[in-house]
Amino acid sequence: MPGFEDRTSEAARYFRERFGVEELPGRVLQRGDSWWLTTAPEVPPGVRVHSLGVRLLRVQGRGLKPTSFGLVLLGPRIKKGRVELTREELLSLLLGRPLRREGLHPGYVALCLEGEVVGCGEVRGGVVRCHIPRGRRQELLTALQADS
Amino acid sequence: MDRYREIIPDWEAFWEAIHRPLPTVIRCNTLRVEPEGLRERLEGKGFRLSPLPWDEGLFQVEGEIPIGNTLEHWLGLYYVQEASQTLAVLALDPQPGERVLDLCAAPGGKATQIAQHMRDEGLVVANDPSPKRLRALLANLYRLGVRCAVVTECLGEKFPGQGEYDRVLVDAPCSGEGTARRHPHLRRGAPLGLIRRLAALQKRLLCRALELVRPGGIVVYSTCTLAPEENEGVVRYVLDRGLAELLPWEPPVPHARGLPRFWGEEYGEELEKAVRIYPHHFDSEGGFVARLRRPH
């Protein structure tokens, strides 16, 4: 696809090793610092393309960071790197408070509520932090507070 | 709106309907969850869901908290979409594997509905010229997890290409008179100057769409306005130039037919193949849908 580079095999390896995902549901294409998961066979020529499927990964420094939308999309396919949270723990993370959890491998994780992936987190030094983007984080906070 | 007294069947019921609050309707995102599963989850949270009779994925919803403030909405399990707004995609009838263009796609209600009909297989080009509106479009496509969509930024009337799409939706910018239940100032009707300016843009958009679709391909033209100048007048314009043939379409809801004439303009009996939706017919907003085919 013109302007995009196929990164399917690297992305598949990343998600297999980090998250236990056996198969990605589409191709992964890179443009700039974004890697997109898509089933679209092509892009229309001669027009400004803003996005392609769902942004799955971002290049950060020398590494890759999964997006929250991408992790939610992969949802049940994610077999490892999951951090199961209670509602109170998730609320606390969304408010910016780090959560201490022992025994987790450092790196990016899938934050889960009642078995459902809700976004990206990071474990470092036994502490979990929330990486859900600010706007989405506020919306989730509102939804959880309205629910309870 | 007085100028529509003669064309709207049961004017009193119409006038009463546009003063009532609009029911909340959601469309289940079948790429993520089955309608029954969604219903169970939301009813478990105290919402009352009534399926709409023509589509098992549409529910009228009542509840104590706003339906946009739930974990299920945040996860993309449904889209809040007014009932009449779901009809244009039924007329378009997109199929898995096809190439479909939504020329004026933001905020994404119809683009995500198209992707659902295609089971996320094929190509949905979701275009909009406004960077601000594109943000909402992207957020909705990501939230619902649509993988087959490509989002583009281009003036619809200048969208590049020639005969490349199987189907094109032109859900045109319009004066919005059909949304008077949400926007009470529109009960007076839209200014005629605005209607004429929009009609000129709508003609350009529809002409372009008919160049972008392949010969024999389908273009659906829809608006949420009642103004014949923006509806039947626009369709007449492309018919007169031999750019399209108008196909009959029967929506699965009560409706009225397109108008053959209005205010001295002759649109022709053929325009009765198009569909007008009025708020009192099934407790919705109002609008217009025409199904067209590019000649071979």
Side-chain angles (χ1 to χ4, degrees):
Chain A
M1 218 177 275
F4 292 86
E5 200 169 340
D6 196 315
R7 296 288 193 182
T8 308
S9 57
E10 291 108 303
R13 192 179 323 119
Y14 176 88
F15 278 99
R16 191 165 49 246
E17 289 171 2
R18 181 74 215 168
F19 292 102
V21 174
E22 285 184 12
E23 193 179 5
L24 291 175
R27 287 192 296 165
V28 178
L29 301 173
Q30 179 187 10
R31 189 182 65 183
D33 65 357
S34 295
W35 293 29
W36 313 87
L37 177 67
T38 185
T39 55
E42 66 212 270
V43 294
V47 64
R48 185 170 179 205
V49 173
H50 268 265
S51 85
L52 187 58
V54 174
R55 189 186 278 137
L56 185 65
L57 290 159
R58 291 194 102 131
V59 179
Q60 277 213 332
R62 286 185 185 177
L64 293 170
K65 178 185 177 187
T67 66
S68 286
F69 279 121
L71 290 175
V72 170
L73 175 61
L74 294 176
R77 290 183 171 86
I78 296 177
K79 304 296 183 201
K80 64 180 197 184
R82 300 172 69 104
V83 175
E84 301 291 342
L85 302 163
T86 64
R87 189 168 279 252
E88 290 67 32
E89 287 172 332
L90 178 56
L91 281 169
S92 178
L93 278 175
L94 293 171
L95 290 166
R97 298 177 196 134
L99 175 73
R100 182 151 287 283
R101 275 281 176 93
E102 299 301 332
L104 295 174
H105 287 293
Y108 293 115
V109 292
L111 302 176
C112 301
L113 175 68
E114 290 154 12
E116 214 152 26
V117 176
V118 294
C120 179
E122 187 180 12
V123 175
R124 208 187 301 165
V127 172
V128 184
R129 285 185 171 77
C130 178
H131 280 279
I132 298 171
R134 193 175 302 161
R136 286 280 288 166
R137 191 188 295 209
Q138 187 54 49
E139 288 168 7
L140 180 55
L141 196 56
T142 305
L144 292 176
Q145 286 167 340
D147 263 6
S148 55
Chain B
M1 295 267 199
D2 253 8
R3 71 186 190 119
Y4 303 137
R5 262 181 193 272
E6 287 176 20
I7 59 169
I8 295 181
D10 198 351
W11 173 262
E12 300 304 323
F14 165 80
W15 193 246
E16 192 265 329
I18 64 171
H19 287 79
R20 281 202 311 265
L22 193 61
T24 302
V25 173
I26 62 171
R27 191 190 79 236
C28 175
N29 177 14
T30 48
L31 301 177
R32 285 269 167 89
V33 65
E34 291 301 315
E36 204 44 45
L38 176 65
R39 185 178 183 166
E40 276 174 28
R41 282 184 71 148
L42 290 178
E43 286 184 340
K45 292 188 166 179
F47 288 99
R48 294 173 295 283
L49 273 72
S50 316
L52 297 188
W54 74 90
D55 186 333
E56 61 170 9
L58 294 176
F59 297 96
Q60 191 169 313
V61 185
E62 292 173 88
E64 303 309 317
I65 61 169
I67 194 66
N69 278 0
T70 68
L71 175 63
E72 287 74 16
H73 181 264
W74 189 89
L75 286 167
L77 304 190
Y78 60 88
Y79 189 95
V80 182
Q81 189 173 29
E82 195 280 316
S84 69
Q85 294 289 319
T86 65
L87 297 174
V89 174
L90 299 188
L92 190 67
D93 193 24
Q95 301 296 314
E98 288 186 330
R99 300 153 60 95
V100 179
L101 169 63
D102 184 353
L103 204 52
C104 316
K110 296 182 183 71
T112 53
Q113 188 186 2
I114 289 169
Q116 281 180 232
H117 278 251
M118 293 167 64
R119 299 196 296 265
D120 220 1
E121 296 165 15
L123 174 66
V124 178
V125 177
N127 177 70
D128 207 89
S130 157
K132 190 175 167 192
R133 285 167 57 82
L134 276 176
R135 279 201 290 276
L137 173 62
L138 285 169
N140 282 318
L141 287 165
Y142 288 177
R143 182 173 64 85
L144 271 68
V146 174
R147 293 164 295 148
C148 70
V150 174
V151 174
T152 60
E153 179 187 342
C154 187
L155 284 173
E157 62 269 38
K158 293 188 174 168
F159 196 91
Q162 188 69 42
E164 287 159 353
Y165 296 92
D166 297 301
R167 296 170 205 260
V168 179
L169 174 63
V170 184
D171 185 43
C174 70
S175 58
E177 291 176 329
T179 68
R181 293 176 77 168
R182 277 186 296 150
H183 304 110
H185 68 281
L186 287 169
R187 287 178 199 149
R188 293 193 301 269
L192 284 174
L194 174 68
I195 288 173
R196 291 191 185 112
R197 280 197 302 280
L198 284 164
L201 169 64
Q202 291 154 350
K203 286 169 187 169
R204 294 198 299 274
L205 288 168
L206 186 53
C207 286
R208 188 72 199 116
L210 286 159
E211 292 168 346
L212 289 162
V213 79
R214 65 171 167 76
I218 298 294
V219 172
V220 166
Y221 176 76
S222 64
T223 71
C224 57
T225 192
L226 308 179
E229 297 87 345
E230 296 182 66
N231 294 327
E232 287 86 350
V234 174
V235 173
R236 184 73 258 165
Y237 181 84
V238 297
L239 297 178
D240 283 346
R241 281 151 186 79
L243 301 175
E245 54 182 311
L246 180 56
L247 302 175
W249 181 60
E250 283 297 325
V253 292
H255 59 278
R257 304 311 311 189
L259 302 172
R261 63 194 63 82
F262 180 71
W263 265 21
E265 286 292 324
E266 279 294 327
Y267 302 125
E269 304 298 328
E270 191 181 5
L271 261 295
E272 291 187 352
K273 292 175 182 171
V275 167
R276 291 188 145 248
I277 302 294
Y278 293 122
H280 55 304
H281 282 158
F282 61 99
D283 206 6
S284 68
E285 293 188 328
F288 175 87
V289 180
R291 189 169 200 258
L292 301 149
R293 181 164 55 203
R294 179 178 170 179
H296 281 283

PDB file of all heavy atoms in Angstrom, chain A residues 102-123:
ATOM      1  N   GLU A 102       2.841  -7.199  43.256  1.00  0.00           N
ATOM      2  CA  GLU A 102       4.095  -7.951  43.195  1.00  0.00           C
ATOM      3  C   GLU A 102       3.972  -9.073  42.162  1.00  0.00           C
ATOM      4  O   GLU A 102       2.872  -9.520  41.836  1.00  0.00           O
ATOM      5  CB  GLU A 102       4.433  -8.542  44.577  1.00  0.00           C
ATOM      6  CG  GLU A 102       4.619  -7.498  45.679  1.00  0.00           C
ATOM      7  CD  GLU A 102       5.715  -6.479  45.394  1.00  0.00           C
ATOM      8  OE1 GLU A 102       6.678  -6.813  44.668  1.00  0.00           O
ATOM      9  OE2 GLU A 102       5.606  -5.330  45.871  1.00  0.00           O
ATOM     10  N   GLY A 103       5.130  -9.526  41.668  1.00  0.00           N
ATOM     11  CA  GLY A 103       5.168 -10.729  40.830  1.00  0.00           C
ATOM     12  C   GLY A 103       4.803 -10.506  39.366  1.00  0.00           C
ATOM     13  O   GLY A 103       4.583 -11.463  38.635  1.00  0.00           O
ATOM     14  N   LEU A 104       4.709  -9.269  38.919  1.00  0.00           N
ATOM     15  CA  LEU A 104       4.373  -9.021  37.508  1.00  0.00           C
ATOM     16  C   LEU A 104       5.643  -8.680  36.730  1.00  0.00           C
ATOM     17  O   LEU A 104       6.521  -7.984  37.238  1.00  0.00           O
ATOM     18  CB  LEU A 104       3.390  -7.848  37.390  1.00  0.00           C
ATOM     19  CG  LEU A 104       2.004  -8.051  38.003  1.00  0.00           C
ATOM     20  CD1 LEU A 104       1.206  -6.747  37.923  1.00  0.00           C
ATOM     21  CD2 LEU A 104       1.252  -9.155  37.272  1.00  0.00           C
ATOM     22  N   HIS A 105       5.711  -9.178  35.484  1.00  0.00           N
ATOM     23  CA  HIS A 105       6.849  -8.838  34.634  1.00  0.00           C
ATOM     24  C   HIS A 105       6.766  -7.366  34.262  1.00  0.00           C
ATOM     25  O   HIS A 105       5.680  -6.864  33.942  1.00  0.00           O
ATOM     26  CB  HIS A 105       6.829  -9.679  33.355  1.00  0.00           C
ATOM     27  CG  HIS A 105       7.213 -11.096  33.601  1.00  0.00           C
ATOM     28  ND1 HIS A 105       8.478 -11.464  33.987  1.00  0.00           N
ATOM     29  CD2 HIS A 105       6.491 -12.242  33.528  1.00  0.00           C
ATOM     30  CE1 HIS A 105       8.517 -12.781  34.131  1.00  0.00           C
ATOM     31  NE2 HIS A 105       7.324 -13.275  33.872  1.00  0.00           N
ATOM     32  N   PRO A 106       7.897  -6.669  34.264  1.00  0.00           N
ATOM     33  CA  PRO A 106       7.850  -5.259  33.867  1.00  0.00           C
ATOM     34  C   PRO A 106       7.507  -5.113  32.378  1.00  0.00           C
ATOM     35  O   PRO A 106       7.812  -5.997  31.580  1.00  0.00           O
ATOM     36  CB  PRO A 106       9.269  -4.754  34.161  1.00  0.00           C
ATOM     37  CG  PRO A 106      10.119  -5.941  34.357  1.00  0.00           C
ATOM     38  CD  PRO A 106       9.240  -7.109  34.668  1.00  0.00           C
ATOM     39  N   GLY A 107       6.873  -4.002  32.050  1.00  0.00           N
ATOM     40  CA  GLY A 107       6.510  -3.721  30.653  1.00  0.00           C
ATOM     41  C   GLY A 107       5.032  -3.372  30.552  1.00  0.00           C
ATOM     42  O   GLY A 107       4.343  -3.201  31.563  1.00  0.00           O
ATOM     43  N   TYR A 108       4.577  -3.263  29.310  1.00  0.00           N
ATOM     44  CA  TYR A 108       3.174  -2.892  29.096  1.00  0.00           C
ATOM     45  C   TYR A 108       2.258  -4.079  29.373  1.00  0.00           C
ATOM     46  O   TYR A 108       2.613  -5.229  29.094  1.00  0.00           O
ATOM     47  CB  TYR A 108       2.984  -2.377  27.673  1.00  0.00           C
ATOM     48  CG  TYR A 108       3.699  -1.067  27.446  1.00  0.00           C
ATOM     49  CD1 TYR A 108       4.763  -0.976  26.551  1.00  0.00           C
ATOM     50  CD2 TYR A 108       3.333   0.073  28.154  1.00  0.00           C
ATOM     51  CE1 TYR A 108       5.432   0.220  26.361  1.00  0.00           C
ATOM     52  CE2 TYR A 108       3.999   1.275  27.972  1.00  0.00           C
ATOM     53  CZ  TYR A 108       5.043   1.350  27.083  1.00  0.00           C
ATOM     54  OH  TYR A 108       5.701   2.535  26.919  1.00  0.00           O
ATOM     55  N   VAL A 109       1.083  -3.775  29.915  1.00  0.00           N
ATOM     56  CA  VAL A 109       0.109  -4.808  30.269  1.00  0.00           C
ATOM     57  C   VAL A 109      -1.278  -4.387  29.795  1.00  0.00           C
ATOM     58  O   VAL A 109      -1.499  -3.220  29.445  1.00  0.00           O
ATOM     59  CB  VAL A 109       0.061  -5.031  31.809  1.00  0.00           C
ATOM     60  CG1 VAL A 109       1.352  -5.650  32.317  1.00  0.00           C
ATOM     61  CG2 VAL A 109      -0.251  -3.724  32.539  1.00  0.00           C
ATOM     62  N   ALA A 110      -2.179  -5.382  29.785  1.00  0.00           N
ATOM     63  CA  ALA A 110      -3.584  -5.100  29.464  1.00  0.00           C
ATOM     64  C   ALA A 110      -4.347  -4.994  30.777  1.00  0.00           C
ATOM     65  O   ALA A 110      -4.426  -5.976  31.524  1.00  0.00           O
ATOM     66  CB  ALA A 110      -4.152  -6.212  28.593  1.00  0.00           C
ATOM     67  N   LEU A 111      -4.867  -3.820  31.062  1.00  0.00           N
ATOM     68  CA  LEU A 111      -5.666  -3.636  32.279  1.00  0.00           C
ATOM     69  C   LEU A 111      -7.053  -4.239  32.041  1.00  0.00           C
ATOM     70  O   LEU A 111      -7.665  -4.001  30.985  1.00  0.00           O
ATOM     71  CB  LEU A 111      -5.806  -2.149  32.604  1.00  0.00           C
ATOM     72  CG  LEU A 111      -4.499  -1.371  32.813  1.00  0.00           C
ATOM     73  CD1 LEU A 111      -4.801   0.123  33.039  1.00  0.00           C
ATOM     74  CD2 LEU A 111      -3.702  -1.939  33.982  1.00  0.00           C
ATOM     75  N   CYS A 112      -7.530  -5.030  33.009  1.00  0.00           N
ATOM     76  CA  CYS A 112      -8.798  -5.736  32.822  1.00  0.00           C
ATOM     77  C   CYS A 112      -9.739  -5.479  33.999  1.00  0.00           C
ATOM     78  O   CYS A 112      -9.301  -5.426  35.147  1.00  0.00           O
ATOM     79  CB  CYS A 112      -8.574  -7.243  32.726  1.00  0.00           C
ATOM     80  SG  CYS A 112      -7.486  -7.721  31.389  1.00  0.00           S
ATOM     81  N   LEU A 113     -11.020  -5.343  33.657  1.00  0.00           N
ATOM     82  CA  LEU A 113     -12.057  -5.223  34.677  1.00  0.00           C
ATOM     83  C   LEU A 113     -13.067  -6.340  34.431  1.00  0.00           C
ATOM     84  O   LEU A 113     -13.628  -6.438  33.336  1.00  0.00           O
ATOM     85  CB  LEU A 113     -12.741  -3.855  34.578  1.00  0.00           C
ATOM     86  CG  LEU A 113     -13.920  -3.645  35.513  1.00  0.00           C
ATOM     87  CD1 LEU A 113     -13.467  -3.590  36.974  1.00  0.00           C
ATOM     88  CD2 LEU A 113     -14.672  -2.374  35.147  1.00  0.00           C
ATOM     89  N   GLU A 114     -13.302  -7.141  35.451  1.00  0.00           N
ATOM     90  CA  GLU A 114     -14.252  -8.270  35.342  1.00  0.00           C
ATOM     91  C   GLU A 114     -13.992  -9.077  34.079  1.00  0.00           C
ATOM     92  O   GLU A 114     -14.901  -9.424  33.321  1.00  0.00           O
ATOM     93  CB  GLU A 114     -15.694  -7.744  35.384  1.00  0.00           C
ATOM     94  CG  GLU A 114     -16.063  -7.214  36.759  1.00  0.00           C
ATOM     95  CD  GLU A 114     -17.159  -6.158  36.744  1.00  0.00           C
ATOM     96  OE1 GLU A 114     -17.798  -5.983  35.693  1.00  0.00           O
ATOM     97  OE2 GLU A 114     -17.328  -5.497  37.765  1.00  0.00           O
ATOM     98  N   GLY A 115     -12.699  -9.332  33.803  1.00  0.00           N
ATOM     99  CA  GLY A 115     -12.313 -10.181  32.681  1.00  0.00           C
ATOM    100  C   GLY A 115     -12.251  -9.480  31.339  1.00  0.00           C
ATOM    101  O   GLY A 115     -11.873 -10.075  30.333  1.00  0.00           O
ATOM    102  N   GLU A 116     -12.615  -8.202  31.294  1.00  0.00           N
ATOM    103  CA  GLU A 116     -12.687  -7.478  30.020  1.00  0.00           C
ATOM    104  C   GLU A 116     -11.547  -6.472  29.931  1.00  0.00           C
ATOM    105  O   GLU A 116     -11.340  -5.691  30.863  1.00  0.00           O
ATOM    106  CB  GLU A 116     -14.007  -6.712  29.978  1.00  0.00           C
ATOM    107  CG  GLU A 116     -14.613  -6.612  28.630  1.00  0.00           C
ATOM    108  CD  GLU A 116     -16.135  -6.503  28.751  1.00  0.00           C
ATOM    109  OE1 GLU A 116     -16.641  -6.040  29.784  1.00  0.00           O
ATOM    110  OE2 GLU A 116     -16.801  -6.876  27.790  1.00  0.00           O
ATOM    111  N   VAL A 117     -10.834  -6.494  28.807  1.00  0.00           N
ATOM    112  CA  VAL A 117      -9.707  -5.565  28.648  1.00  0.00           C
ATOM    113  C   VAL A 117     -10.241  -4.144  28.501  1.00  0.00           C
ATOM    114  O   VAL A 117     -11.134  -3.885  27.688  1.00  0.00           O
ATOM    115  CB  VAL A 117      -8.864  -5.941  27.405  1.00  0.00           C
ATOM    116  CG1 VAL A 117      -7.758  -4.918  27.180  1.00  0.00           C
ATOM    117  CG2 VAL A 117      -8.273  -7.336  27.562  1.00  0.00           C
ATOM    118  N   VAL A 118      -9.694  -3.211  29.283  1.00  0.00           N
ATOM    119  CA  VAL A 118     -10.149  -1.812  29.194  1.00  0.00           C
ATOM    120  C   VAL A 118      -9.036  -0.854  28.744  1.00  0.00           C
ATOM    121  O   VAL A 118      -9.302   0.329  28.521  1.00  0.00           O
ATOM    122  CB  VAL A 118     -10.748  -1.313  30.528  1.00  0.00           C
ATOM    123  CG1 VAL A 118     -12.029  -2.054  30.872  1.00  0.00           C
ATOM    124  CG2 VAL A 118      -9.744  -1.411  31.660  1.00  0.00           C
ATOM    125  N   GLY A 119      -7.796  -1.342  28.605  1.00  0.00           N
ATOM    126  CA  GLY A 119      -6.776  -0.431  28.105  1.00  0.00           C
ATOM    127  C   GLY A 119      -5.376  -0.820  28.510  1.00  0.00           C
ATOM    128  O   GLY A 119      -5.133  -1.899  29.055  1.00  0.00           O
ATOM    129  N   CYS A 120      -4.473   0.118  28.222  1.00  0.00           N
ATOM    130  CA  CYS A 120      -3.049  -0.159  28.406  1.00  0.00           C
ATOM    131  C   CYS A 120      -2.561   0.353  29.768  1.00  0.00           C
ATOM    132  O   CYS A 120      -2.931   1.441  30.205  1.00  0.00           O
ATOM    133  CB  CYS A 120      -2.281   0.552  27.292  1.00  0.00           C
ATOM    134  SG  CYS A 120      -0.506   0.334  27.393  1.00  0.00           S
ATOM    135  N   GLY A 121      -1.744  -0.460  30.394  1.00  0.00           N
ATOM    136  CA  GLY A 121      -1.057  -0.045  31.618  1.00  0.00           C
ATOM    137  C   GLY A 121       0.413  -0.392  31.505  1.00  0.00           C
ATOM    138  O   GLY A 121       0.858  -0.963  30.501  1.00  0.00           O
ATOM    139  N   GLU A 122       1.156  -0.016  32.531  1.00  0.00           N
ATOM    140  CA  GLU A 122       2.586  -0.349  32.533  1.00  0.00           C
ATOM    141  C   GLU A 122       2.999  -0.771  33.933  1.00  0.00           C
ATOM    142  O   GLU A 122       2.575  -0.156  34.927  1.00  0.00           O
ATOM    143  CB  GLU A 122       3.423   0.852  32.083  1.00  0.00           C
ATOM    144  CG  GLU A 122       4.897   0.494  31.917  1.00  0.00           C
ATOM    145  CD  GLU A 122       5.747   1.680  31.475  1.00  0.00           C
ATOM    146  OE1 GLU A 122       5.248   2.824  31.509  1.00  0.00           O
ATOM    147  OE2 GLU A 122       6.915   1.454  31.132  1.00  0.00           O
ATOM    148  N   VAL A 123       3.800  -1.830  33.988  1.00  0.00           N
ATOM    149  CA  VAL A 123       4.345  -2.293  35.273  1.00  0.00           C
ATOM    150  C   VAL A 123       5.818  -1.937  35.311  1.00  0.00           C
ATOM    151  O   VAL A 123       6.565  -2.227  34.357  1.00  0.00           O
ATOM    152  CB  VAL A 123       4.179  -3.830  35.407  1.00  0.00           C
ATOM    153  CG1 VAL A 123       4.859  -4.321  36.686  1.00  0.00           C
ATOM    154  CG2 VAL A 123       2.708  -4.213  35.399  1.00  0.00           C
TER     155      VAL A 123
END
